[in-house]
Amino acid sequence: MVISSALFDKPAFGNVIVNGLILAEDGKKMSKRLKNYPDPIAMLDQYGADAIRLYMLNSPAMRGEDLKFTERGLIEITRAVLLPLWNVLSFFTTYAVIDQWEPTTENLNTPASHPLDRWVLSCLQKLVKEVSTGLDAYDLNQSVSPFVAFIDLLTNWYIRRSRRRFWKSEYADDKQQAYATLYRVLIELSKVIAPFIPFIADAIYQ
C-alpha cells in the first residue's frame, strides 16, 4: 500500500475479500500439535472438494466471522444441497431415457405455458441476476445464499409438483414442456454454480 501510494498515487488493489478465521470444532486455533481438526485428505475422499468448498462459502467465514469447522457441517451441506441437486439430475435422466426424450431446437424454444414451468424459469432468471450481482460486487455470501435457496425451490416445489407430468403414459405436449423446462434449468444452473462447486457443475453440464 505504501509503495503503491508513493509511486503511483493510487490504491494497490481494487477489491479485497476478507474471510473470518477457520477454527477447530472446539473454537480453538487448528493445531498440528493438538490434532484438533479432521484429516483434510480423509474429508476430501469422503465428501469431495465441492462439499468442502460450498460448506465454507456458505458459512459465517464469508461475512468475516469465525467458522468452527466440523464434519457435521460437511454432512449437512451434502445432505441438504448436493444430494438433492444430484437427485434432480438423476430424476431427469432416468425418465428422459425411458421416454427417449432428446433436446431439440424446437422443444427448447417453445415458450413455457404451464404455471410451474413459468414459475421455475422465473426463479432461475432471478437466481442468475442475484448471483451475478453478488459476484460482480465480490460478495461471495450474497452469491451463494440464493443458489442454496434455489435448490430447495427446485426439489421441494417444482420437482415434487411436476412428477405426475413426467409419469404420464401418453407423450403429450405438457410432458414435452416439463422435460424441456427441467433440461433448461439444469443447463443454466450448472453455469451459475460453476464458480462454487465446479466438479458437480461440470458433471451436470456434461
Side-chain angles (χ1 to χ4, degrees):
M1 177 62 79
V2 172
I3 294 174
S4 177
S5 300
L7 294 181
F8 307 109
D9 194 27
K10 64 180 183 180
F13 43 77
N15 295 277
V16 180
I17 297 176
V18 180
N19 299 330
L21 295 175
I22 309 297
L23 303 173
E25 187 172 0
D26 57 9
K28 297 179 181 178
K29 181 181 177 182
M30 290 185 178
S31 168
K32 290 181 180 179
R33 179 177 60 84
L34 297 175
K35 295 183 179 179
N36 58 347
Y37 56 87
D39 181 354
I41 301 301
M43 295 299 98
L44 284 168
D45 289 342
Q46 186 163 353
Y47 302 104
D50 280 349
I52 297 174
R53 182 193 299 262
L54 186 59
Y55 171 50
M56 291 187 175
L57 287 174
N58 194 41
S59 76
M62 292 297 103
R63 300 189 297 271
E65 303 170 16
D66 295 340
L67 166 65
K68 296 179 181 179
F69 189 96
T70 68
E71 187 174 354
R72 290 194 307 275
L74 293 177
I75 295 172
E76 178 60 25
I77 203 74
T78 301
R79 184 192 64 80
V81 181
L82 299 183
L83 283 179
L85 174 58
W86 195 255
N87 287 340
V88 172
L89 177 67
S90 178
F91 176 87
F92 171 79
T93 53
T94 297
Y95 289 99
V97 168
I98 291 173
D99 288 327
Q100 298 182 325
W101 184 86
E102 293 285 345
T104 65
T105 302
E106 181 182 357
N107 59 35
L108 292 181
N109 290 335
T110 301
S113 59
H114 195 286
L116 278 172
D117 295 339
R118 294 168 65 87
W119 172 77
V120 77
L121 290 172
S122 173
C123 290
L124 177 65
Q125 292 308 309
K126 182 184 177 191
L127 172 69
V128 171
K129 182 178 180 180
E130 289 177 338
V131 171
S132 298
T133 299
L135 288 176
D136 288 344
Y138 293 86
D139 188 337
L140 295 180
N141 191 253
Q142 181 186 333
S143 303
V144 176
S145 297
F147 145 54
V148 172
F150 182 80
I151 300 303
D152 179 65
L153 294 179
L154 182 60
T155 57
N156 291 325
W157 288 91
Y158 181 74
I159 294 292
R160 186 170 292 181
R161 284 153 182 79
S162 296
R163 282 176 180 163
R164 293 182 182 276
R165 301 169 66 201
F166 292 94
W167 292 344
K168 289 179 179 178
S169 56
E170 66 275 12
Y171 206 51
D173 289 343
D174 182 54
K175 190 173 187 177
Q176 283 267 18
Q177 280 192 21
Y179 275 123
T181 297
L182 189 51
Y183 177 86
R184 288 168 62 188
V185 168
L186 285 169
I187 287 291
E188 291 305 313
L189 183 60
S190 69
K191 299 174 186 177
V192 172
I193 64 179
F196 314 117
I197 47 175
F199 296 109
I200 291 176
D202 186 60
I204 291 172
Y205 187 84
Q206 293 298 335

